[in-house]
Amino acid sequence: MSAVLVVAEHDGQTLHAGVARAVSCGLAIEADRLDVAVLGQDCGGVARQAARIEGVTRVLCLDRSENAKPVAAIRAPQLAALAADGYSHVLGPSTTFGKDLMPRVAALLGVPQVSDIMSVEGDRRFKRPIYAGNAVLTVETPAEHIVVGTARLASWPVAGEDGEAAIEQAQTDVELPEHTSWLELKSAETERPDLQSASVVVSGGRALGSGENFSLLYDLADRLGAAVGASRAAVDAGYVSNDMQVGQTGKIIAPDLYFAIGISGAIQHLTGIKDAGVIVAINKDPEAPIFEVADIGLVGDLFAIVPEIQAAVEDS
Amino acid sequence: MRKILVTLKRVVDSNVRVRVKPDGSGMAVEGLKMSVNPFDEIALEEALRMRERGEAGEVLAVTIGGDECQQQLRTGLAMGADRALLVRCEGEVQPLAAAGILLEVIRREEPDIVIMGKQAIDDDCNQTGQMVATLWGRPQATFASEVKLNGDTARVIREVDAGLETLEVQLPAVITTDLRLNEPRYIKLPDIMKARSKPLETLSADDLVPAAPPALTALSYEPPAQRQKGVVVDDVPALMGMLRERGLVS
């Protein structure tokens, strides 16, 4: 009998949008049941959100003060204990949260991890990208061992939200380490949608020339209700913060509409956007590799074109 | 004085585009330029800076693989590592196996800090540092963009999706590096000469870890689905027209 456990990411109040995508990945395994584990403190609200995801059998709450913050070393032993109790698969989202936590769970269980699952080919067979997306590898996990993996969120749709899963309190009898203290999280204050779940994303590259010039993109994004991203080159140049980075070493995203503005289109960037619905590229170099993957290209000066697009959106 | 262990992985250079072999049996890497995994260079740079600030005594560079990996260890020695250790091993080494081998190295060397790249740019797994910390029973601070040492603790700023998170971990601990932790130094010619006389020890992985842990089996490799090249439009009205046609903007 197979059973999938999906680890919920949340900030104490809100369930991360990626959990409903990781659930889709879990459902593709066609297990007998799929449970969601919510580790937190007073996380009933998060549990109720998880219970609404379609396809979820049960939501298991591990409510304790040590779980107030997402410290991998503290959560992993609890998850490993929970997973070892009757689950065939444990999945997390392939976000910084899941990437930090799941290898710890795998190591505690003594099994390898399948990172960035993009498709399920069987209950032990998965596809995942390697070499910055230059290849897709099909792997098989060892028989008789629990499967630990992370779901590449851009590969999975958001599961429906008409579910009515039961919510249960769970307990694990494991010793938790005290060697790690969570001190603070500094978030960029933004009213814009989250980069990983936004339906429209406007990204800028080195051609923006400065952090100040990114205001052009912020203005357009606000007009479009879009999130703002950046290429690694723009991050490396110090124009914007790293949490905006899209690509192999940043975020992998799949918006319906993606604007690549002043981005040449290095393979490392393209790997982060190849599941986008429509890619619009604006670049002054007609030979830029971004035009090889863009659905709609426009060659020219971004400093003239972006305000023109914004005006066109405002007119409508 | 603190001892720092840094891991260096030999990978295809980040500027080289790697393709799948025509028969799908693997990647065509023969003859390609090989380098130190870029995140591992950042790890070594951070360790060297700690030593230069007087926060650490010795910096040890470790890799796992065939004799060809001596090249990457020599690069590490030229950058400034004090000594190097090659754990000789045939074939592919997956993260869990690498972590098991590194644990044995850690037991021998007893470092205060292990600094590793957050991921290797070949398999893109992003697992080994976390697995080392777990097997070792020690804290981890992954995706670091700033590390400050203070007595027997490290305060680490981490690059997470939501912004910058700060953890304080007790040493010994594993730290994995993100891109903005530092900019690795360039190697100068005299450093390459000097590196030749630095100690490079070799061990056998089979001696350290007699039984390999469970592993993934690679079944096939394929090129990614290609996006079709689209159209180039002449101006903004044409662009907006197409986006409206598809219902993407109002």
Side-chain angles (χ1 to χ4, degrees):
Chain A
M1 213 174 95
S2 55
V4 178
L5 184 65
V6 173
V7 182
E9 175 172 359
H10 63 90
D11 61 6
Q13 262 94 48
T14 309
L15 189 69
H16 189 280
V19 178
R21 293 180 188 270
V23 166
S24 289
C25 176
L27 292 173
I29 294 163
E30 296 181 6
D32 302 298
R33 63 189 164 96
L34 185 150
D35 296 342
V36 172
V38 176
L39 281 73
Q41 185 184 23
D42 303 326
C43 49
V46 173
R48 284 191 290 278
Q49 294 163 47
R52 286 199 291 272
I53 301 174
E54 275 177 47
V56 175
T57 315
R58 293 185 305 168
V59 176
L60 304 175
C61 274
L62 282 89
D63 213 319
R64 54 194 291 180
S65 58
E66 294 92 332
N67 288 339
K69 297 297 176 189
V71 176
I74 292 173
R75 291 193 179 182
Q78 301 171 65
L79 273 166
L82 195 60
D85 188 20
Y87 291 93
S88 56
H89 297 72
V90 198
L91 298 176
S94 191
T95 55
T96 51
F97 165 81
K99 290 171 179 174
D100 187 43
L101 173 64
M102 297 312 288
R104 250 191 123 102
V105 176
L108 287 170
L109 295 168
V111 296
Q113 174 182 302
V114 185
S115 295
D116 305 315
I117 296 172
M118 52 195 293
S119 80
V120 173
E121 307 291 315
D123 60 358
R124 301 198 161 270
R125 204 170 273 203
F126 307 93
K127 289 192 176 187
R128 60 172 304 262
I130 56 172
Y131 283 96
N134 270 317
V136 175
L137 171 63
T138 304
V139 293
E140 192 163 72
T141 63
E144 311 293 320
H145 289 287
I146 190 168
V147 177
V148 177
T150 59
R152 181 179 180 275
L153 298 184
S155 298
W156 299 98
V158 174
E161 46 189 43
D162 284 327
E164 286 178 19
I167 299 174
E168 296 174 16
Q169 299 299 317
Q171 278 179 343
T172 56
D173 184 24
V174 288
E175 206 176 313
L176 302 182
E178 291 175 358
H179 51 45
T180 305
S181 310
W182 188 97
L183 298 183
E184 66 166 351
L185 173 67
K186 274 192 192 151
S187 292
E189 301 254 333
T190 176
E191 298 290 307
R192 294 186 190 91
D194 171 57
L195 185 54
Q196 277 166 312
S197 50
S199 57
V200 182
V201 172
V202 176
S203 275
R206 191 163 13 214
L208 264 295
S210 72
E212 292 74 50
N213 288 342
F214 258 77
S215 62
L216 264 181
L217 304 194
Y218 293 127
D219 291 346
L220 176 60
D222 290 345
R223 204 35 80 174
L224 292 166
V228 178
S231 69
R232 178 175 162 186
V235 173
D236 281 353
Y239 300 166
V240 293
S241 64
N242 191 48
D243 51 14
M244 290 168 62
Q245 191 198 147
V246 174
Q248 181 190 18
T249 55
K251 290 178 175 136
I252 312 285
I253 59 173
D256 299 330
L257 176 59
Y258 185 78
F259 286 89
I261 298 174
I263 292 175
S264 62
I267 179 74
Q268 289 83 357
H269 186 72
L270 301 183
T271 196
I273 59 168
K274 64 180 175 198
D275 293 300
V278 169
I279 297 175
V280 173
I282 296 161
N283 203 297
K284 66 174 192 292
D285 173 11
E287 303 298 323
I290 190 74
F291 289 116
E292 294 298 319
V293 299
D295 299 279
I296 310 173
L298 183 49
V299 179
D301 177 14
L302 73 92
F303 294 103
I305 291 170
V306 174
E308 205 182 326
I309 294 174
Q310 190 181 332
V313 176
E314 277 171 21
D315 285 347
S316 61
Chain B
M1 276 303 257
R2 297 186 188 98
K3 180 171 175 178
I4 306 180
L5 190 156
V6 172
T7 56
L8 305 180
K9 185 176 183 186
R10 174 184 169 93
V11 297
V12 175
D13 189 89
S14 60
N15 294 312
V16 176
R17 181 141 184 199
V18 190
R19 288 174 203 281
V20 176
K21 284 181 184 168
D23 65 0
S25 65
M27 303 299 290
V29 296
E30 290 76 18
L32 298 182
K33 184 186 176 197
M34 304 300 284
S35 296
V36 174
N37 179 45
F39 289 102
D40 300 347
E41 279 190 326
I42 294 172
L44 177 53
E45 176 65 36
E46 195 65 16
L48 297 175
R49 289 183 189 188
M50 286 173 180
R51 191 189 62 196
E52 285 158 5
R53 285 196 297 262
E55 297 170 351
E58 186 182 41
V59 176
L60 167 66
V62 179
T63 197
I64 305 169
D67 281 333
E68 65 281 3
C69 298
Q70 290 192 18
Q71 212 184 331
Q72 280 62 47
L73 289 178
R74 289 291 171 202
T75 301
L77 292 170
M79 270 181 76
D82 297 295
R83 59 191 181 94
L85 173 62
L86 167 64
V87 181
R88 202 182 274 123
C89 191
E90 296 295 320
E92 183 207 23
V93 185
Q94 291 180 14
L96 186 61
I101 293 167
L102 290 170
L103 177 67
E104 292 308 317
V105 174
I106 285 167
R107 284 180 176 153
R108 288 169 57 116
E109 297 287 346
E110 300 185 334
D112 300 283
I113 310 171
V114 174
I115 313 181
M116 307 173 66
K118 74 166 180 179
Q119 77 193 69
I121 60 165
D122 48 9
D123 62 25
D124 282 333
C125 275
N126 196 332
Q127 301 172 8
T128 310
Q130 295 88 316
M131 288 178 164
V132 169
T134 309
L135 298 182
W136 192 16
R138 295 305 308 165
Q140 69 192 34
T142 53
F143 326 141
S145 67
E146 189 187 297
V147 180
K148 282 196 176 134
L149 301 178
N150 182 12
D152 57 1
T153 64
R155 193 170 280 210
V156 181
I157 300 182
R158 306 179 54 229
E159 305 252 9
V160 296
D161 290 338
L164 298 173
E165 184 190 84
T166 309
L167 288 184
E168 190 167 79
V169 294
Q170 286 170 18
L171 302 180
V174 176
I175 295 167
T176 77
T177 62
D178 216 319
L179 286 172
R180 294 194 308 167
L181 182 57
N182 60 52
E183 219 169 293
R185 64 196 63 190
Y186 287 103
I187 296 168
K188 297 184 209 79
L189 193 59
D191 298 329
I192 298 172
M193 305 301 286
K194 226 183 330 180
R196 285 183 189 160
S197 58
K198 288 185 179 175
L200 194 161
E201 188 191 351
T202 300
L203 294 173
S204 151
D206 293 339
D207 292 346
L208 287 179
V209 182
L216 303 177
T217 307
L219 297 178
S220 64
Y221 297 74
E222 59 193 297
Q226 293 297 321
R227 289 184 74 98
Q228 295 299 312
K229 189 174 175 175
V231 296
V232 172
V233 294
D234 292 330
D235 52 24
V236 171
L239 167 66
M240 298 308 291
M242 287 186 74
L243 293 180
R244 288 202 179 97
E245 214 169 273
R246 300 184 193 199
L248 289 165
V249 296
S250 53

